[in-house]
């Protein structure tokens, strides 16, 4: 009898220890709407089926359906800095987009902040950096979040905007080969990876590899890209950013490149501030105001 009790206790302990592995991950809103702009925390799919990525959703008043804008945040190769990153908000940009009728999703990607998990975007060491692989990994995370939101009743199924910043913008470039009916435009703010190598301004790891990856992303690209960089960006200066854009364009990508005025002490972070959003206002409005075909509602019968 004692042996049987021990066996039963071990079985129970094993069940408890394995339960989290079998637990189903749920997606959707995880709290109530708040201010500003109906701010709400959501859980969205990630490439790791066992981890839901945290995201913030902002949207206009009303029931929609709204066009969707997905904002892909910057990143870093430094594991400690990634773990300590606060939930990305891009609140001035979100306010700008909501005022123009967009629902705005800002998903946190794997390996960052509260979402945690494995950093699937790792580019490797400076000399052997694989920028194409890291960009495709970021693109996949953007795609999963975007497609999940487009299944919601209050979101249009078409004409979304992918707006990326730094490494997030690099991933958005890798996303340019998807169906243009789902995503009508990409806005890439200071796209790239490997900037500030060894924390040194205007030093980039393996520039030739970054240029080659931009060329690869341009092949088969179907979505037009608006490429923005500030004059005082010391991660990817305008001259090098233009070279990247030319590489993307040279292999088939469609790019509208703009250099913006200096913003703050470091232009690379311009899109996180009200001043930066204001500096980009003309180019942003031009993209957002481009006509798109009206959405066709379907009966759920």
């Amino acid at each position: 009898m004692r042996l049987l009790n021990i066996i039963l206790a071990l079985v129970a302990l094993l069940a408890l220890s394995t339960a989290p592995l079998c637990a189903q991950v749920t997606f959707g809103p995880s709290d109530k709407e708040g201010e500003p702009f109906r701010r709400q925390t959501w859980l969205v799919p990630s490439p790791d089926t066992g981890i839901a990525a945290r995201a913030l959703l902002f949207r206009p008043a009303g029931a929609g359906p709204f066009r969707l804008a997905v904002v892909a945040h910057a990143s870093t190769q430094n594991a400690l800095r990634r773990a300590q990153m606060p939930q990305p908000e891009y609140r001035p940009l979100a306010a700008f987009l909501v005022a123009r009728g967009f629902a705005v999703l800002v998903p946190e990607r794997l390996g960052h902040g509260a979402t945690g998990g494995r950093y699937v975007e790792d580019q490797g060491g400076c000399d052997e950096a694989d920028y194409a692989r890291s960009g495709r990994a970021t693109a996949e995370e953007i795609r999963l979040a975007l497609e999940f939101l487009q299944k919601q009743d209050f979101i249009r199924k078409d004409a979304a905007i992918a707006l990326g910043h730094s490494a997030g913008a690099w991933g958005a470039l890798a996303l340019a080969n998807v169906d243009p009916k789902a995503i009508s435009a990409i806005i890439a703010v200071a796209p790239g990876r490997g900037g500030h190598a060894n924390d040194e301004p205007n030093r980039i790891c393996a520039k030739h590899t970054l240029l080659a990856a931009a060329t690869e992303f341009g092949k088969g690209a179907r979505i037009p890209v608006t490429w923005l960089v500030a004059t005082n960006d010391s991660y990817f200066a305008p001259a090098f950013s233009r070279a990247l854009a030319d590489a993307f364009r040279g292999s088939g990508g469609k790019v509208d490149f703009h250099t913006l005025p200096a913003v703050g002490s470091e232009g690379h972070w311009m899109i996180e501030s009200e001043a930066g959003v204001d500096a980009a206002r003309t180019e942003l409005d031009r993209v957002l105001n481009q006509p798109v075909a009206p959405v066709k509602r379907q009966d759920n019968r």
Side-chain angles (χ1 to χ4, degrees):
M1 181 64 70
R2 183 179 179 184
L3 178 60
L4 178 60
N5 289 336
I6 292 174
I7 292 173
L8 291 175
L10 288 173
V11 170
L13 181 61
L14 179 61
L16 287 172
S17 64
T18 58
L21 298 177
C22 302
Q24 184 175 1
V25 176
T26 58
F27 306 115
S30 63
D31 64 7
K32 296 181 180 180
E33 293 181 14
E35 295 296 334
F37 317 116
R38 303 175 67 181
R39 181 186 186 275
Q40 189 175 35
T41 301
W42 277 57
L43 299 176
V44 299
S46 79
D48 186 332
T49 57
I51 297 179
R54 293 173 59 89
L56 290 179
L57 179 67
F58 304 89
R59 47 182 152 160
F66 309 110
R67 289 179 68 189
L68 176 65
V70 176
V71 179
H73 62 78
S75 185
T76 174
Q77 282 290 105
N78 186 295
L80 180 59
R81 292 176 187 171
R82 282 200 313 273
Q84 294 176 340
M85 280 180 62
Q87 180 80 32
E89 289 203 31
Y90 292 88
R91 190 173 292 190
L93 178 61
F96 182 91
L97 294 167
V98 168
R100 284 151 181 79
F102 283 79
V104 183
L105 183 75
V106 189
E108 184 176 67
R109 301 194 300 276
L110 285 177
H112 298 82
T115 294
R118 185 171 66 90
Y119 185 50
V120 298
E121 306 169 49
D122 189 4
Q123 68 202 32
C126 191
D127 294 333
E128 68 279 3
D130 190 341
Y131 295 125
R133 190 209 63 78
S134 62
R136 288 191 296 268
T138 306
E140 176 64 6
E141 298 200 66
I142 299 170
R143 184 190 67 80
L144 288 171
L146 185 147
E147 289 185 354
F148 177 75
L149 259 291
Q150 284 187 322
K151 294 176 182 177
Q152 310 306 311
D153 291 341
F154 61 91
I155 297 293
R156 284 182 55 158
K157 316 304 179 191
D158 66 336
I161 300 289
L163 197 157
H165 172 213
S166 192
W170 184 247
L173 294 179
L175 194 68
N177 61 355
V178 302
D179 186 353
K181 291 180 181 178
I183 302 176
S184 63
I186 289 171
I187 301 172
V189 182
R193 292 195 68 111
H196 269 217
N198 296 325
D199 287 329
E200 295 182 26
N202 297 305
R203 183 183 175 194
I204 302 171
C205 285
K207 287 185 178 182
H208 64 287
T209 306
L210 199 61
L211 288 164
T215 300
E216 180 178 327
F217 294 161
K219 296 176 182 177
R222 306 165 66 191
I223 300 171
V225 174
T226 296
W227 194 306
L228 307 177
V229 61
T231 299
N232 62 329
D233 190 317
S234 69
Y235 284 75
F236 309 106
F240 182 71
S241 291
R242 184 177 290 278
L244 280 177
D246 288 344
F248 183 85
R249 182 189 295 111
S251 59
K254 183 178 180 181
V255 177
D256 186 16
F257 182 89
H258 296 273
T259 300
L260 302 179
V263 178
S265 59
E266 174 51 72
H268 191 68
W269 309 111
M270 59 167 288
I271 204 62
E272 296 181 351
S273 68
E274 290 186 14
V277 172
D278 190 60
R281 177 180 299 270
T282 299
E283 286 71 29
L284 293 174
D285 272 332
R286 182 186 54 77
V287 176
L288 301 180
N289 291 333
Q290 289 175 353
V292 295
V295 65
K296 294 181 180 180
R297 284 189 173 274
Q298 296 181 348
D299 292 334
N300 294 322
R301 292 182 294 179

